[in-house]
Amino acid sequence: MGIHIIAKTLGKTITEKGFGYDEKYIENERYDFFDSIRCSGDTDFIYSEEIEWEFKYDDPEKPDYENGYRRPKYIEKTKMWVQKNIPESNKDRLTKLLDDMTQNQNLWISVSY
């Protein structure tokens, strides 16, 4: 089983009134310059204990994995990790994503199975 890394540009948080509750979500747009097809090393990248992640959730009061986004806290350090630990066939893809994240602070990733 593999995972999909999906790059998204995040916007503002929207709150919609419901019956007795508010539903929150972050506006987002898929970042089509990144191929989200499963690639060798993606699972290692996402679950590495050596990479420190920042997280954002649609509703910060109810964080959950499926409605969350992440980006590395230290992109340069993460790029070095990629060079050491990811198969050659996937290094350029992840490095380009990290470079794009450096240029765009609103670029985050979500994870899907």
Side-chain angles (χ1 to χ4, degrees):
M1 179 167 114
I3 62 168
H4 295 277
I5 296 173
I6 304 164
K8 295 183 177 184
T9 304
L10 301 186
K12 62 184 176 181
T13 299
I14 303 296
T15 302
E16 291 184 350
K17 298 287 183 195
F19 295 103
Y21 65 93
D22 292 341
E23 185 173 332
K24 296 180 182 180
Y25 64 92
I26 299 173
E27 288 184 320
N28 65 75
E29 229 178 82
R30 191 177 182 119
Y31 188 72
D32 290 329
F33 299 103
F34 180 74
D35 182 4
S36 64
I37 195 105
R38 294 178 191 166
C39 289
S40 181
D42 281 356
T43 300
D44 296 334
F45 175 69
I46 291 299
Y47 293 115
S48 170
E49 292 181 8
E50 295 175 48
I51 299 173
E52 258 188 273
W53 297 97
E54 294 180 73
F55 292 91
K56 273 191 181 182
Y57 299 99
D58 284 331
D59 186 345
E61 295 173 15
K62 300 175 190 169
D64 72 88
Y65 187 75
E66 291 193 18
N67 295 304
Y69 307 91
R70 66 174 71 200
R71 62 182 281 131
K73 282 187 180 181
Y74 308 104
I75 292 180
E76 289 304 316
K77 185 177 174 183
T78 304
K79 284 170 41 176
M80 290 187 291
W81 184 92
V82 165
Q83 291 306 311
K84 285 192 253 177
N85 296 285
I86 295 297
E88 200 63 42
S89 62
N90 195 13
K91 284 181 184 178
D92 289 344
R93 173 178 164 266
L94 291 177
T95 300
K96 171 76 169 98
L97 174 62
L98 293 166
D99 287 340
D100 291 351
M101 290 177 124
T102 299
Q103 299 299 314
N104 182 350
Q105 297 300 308
N106 293 324
L107 185 57
W108 292 67
I109 57 176
S110 64
V111 178
S112 173
Y113 291 94

